[in-house]
Amino acid sequence: MKFALSLIAFVIAALILPFFLPGLGKQEGVDPNSNLPWQITLDGQGGSSVFGLQPGVSTLADVRRRLGDTIEVAIIAQPDEEGALEGYYSQVPLGFVLAKVIVTVDVPKETILAMRERALKAQHMESTTRKITLHPDDLAQAEQMRVKAISVIPTVNLDEATVVQRFGQPGERLVVSEKRTHLLYPQQGLDVLVDSDGKELLQYVAPRNFATLVEPLRAAEAAKAVVQ
């Protein structure tokens, strides 16, 4: 019994400790103390920098140079939607934190539709969501487009206390359900979704564009209240 408990404790420590102790999460060629999710730099003019990138300023090419060439770029679309142009990393070391990273590219609706017309193929992902592969010419063009948002899904689960420890007290808490809460940091341009049943989601935009994150959340809450 003691051995079983010790084994469980070891497994839990292996999953959790790298988020708290830099030395345990160190990878070759990666500085464990830089580019961490809570290291957000503000420029005093409504802009910010995180992971060496500036939401609303850095291009997709900048992302590739900063986070590596393993990025997958495609249009991700729900049925009856034009979709969004996104870059996806299945795993990236952010300091000593491993995470999935998704960057949303700032593209006009008309450009998205034109890219879809020239797309090479489309495949279904989860449910009815489609992943649309760009034509090489459009992929080259996308490299020079700016990234408006950066989303991060850490490989370890975080609770609200851990988020507050790292990021400080949020400016606002928006409760979605008993198990899902948005911690809003408008001054940093950050929304942290804490999910007790799933993975946490961190979304970064330039602070001056924080409304683009929070307005859809408030609209969803208002719609839910009307239904109830």
Side-chain angles (χ1 to χ4, degrees), residues 174 184 191 209-223:
L174 188 59
L184 304 178
D191 167 27
N209 297 327
F210 188 69
T212 62
L213 282 183
V214 72
E215 284 179 359
L217 300 178
R218 298 197 192 285
E221 285 298 297

Side-chain angles (χ1 to χ4, degrees), residues 56-73:
V57 177
S58 296
T59 65
L60 194 58
D62 294 328
V63 175
R64 188 184 297 275
R65 283 191 290 268
R66 190 69 184 181
L67 300 183
D69 288 327
T70 59
I71 188 171
E72 299 179 29
V73 180

Side-chain angles (χ1 to χ4, degrees), residues 129-146:
T129 304
R130 290 197 299 167
K131 176 183 176 182
I132 301 168
T133 303
L134 299 182
H135 186 279
D137 292 344
D138 288 328
L139 185 58
Q141 179 186 1
E143 290 288 304
Q144 305 310 314
M145 294 178 177
R146 295 181 179 183

Side-chain angles (χ1 to χ4, degrees), residues 3-23:
F3 174 78
L5 291 175
S6 298
L7 180 60
I8 292 172
F10 174 79
V11 171
I12 292 174
L15 292 173
I16 299 299
L17 284 179
F19 193 81
F20 295 96
L21 301 179

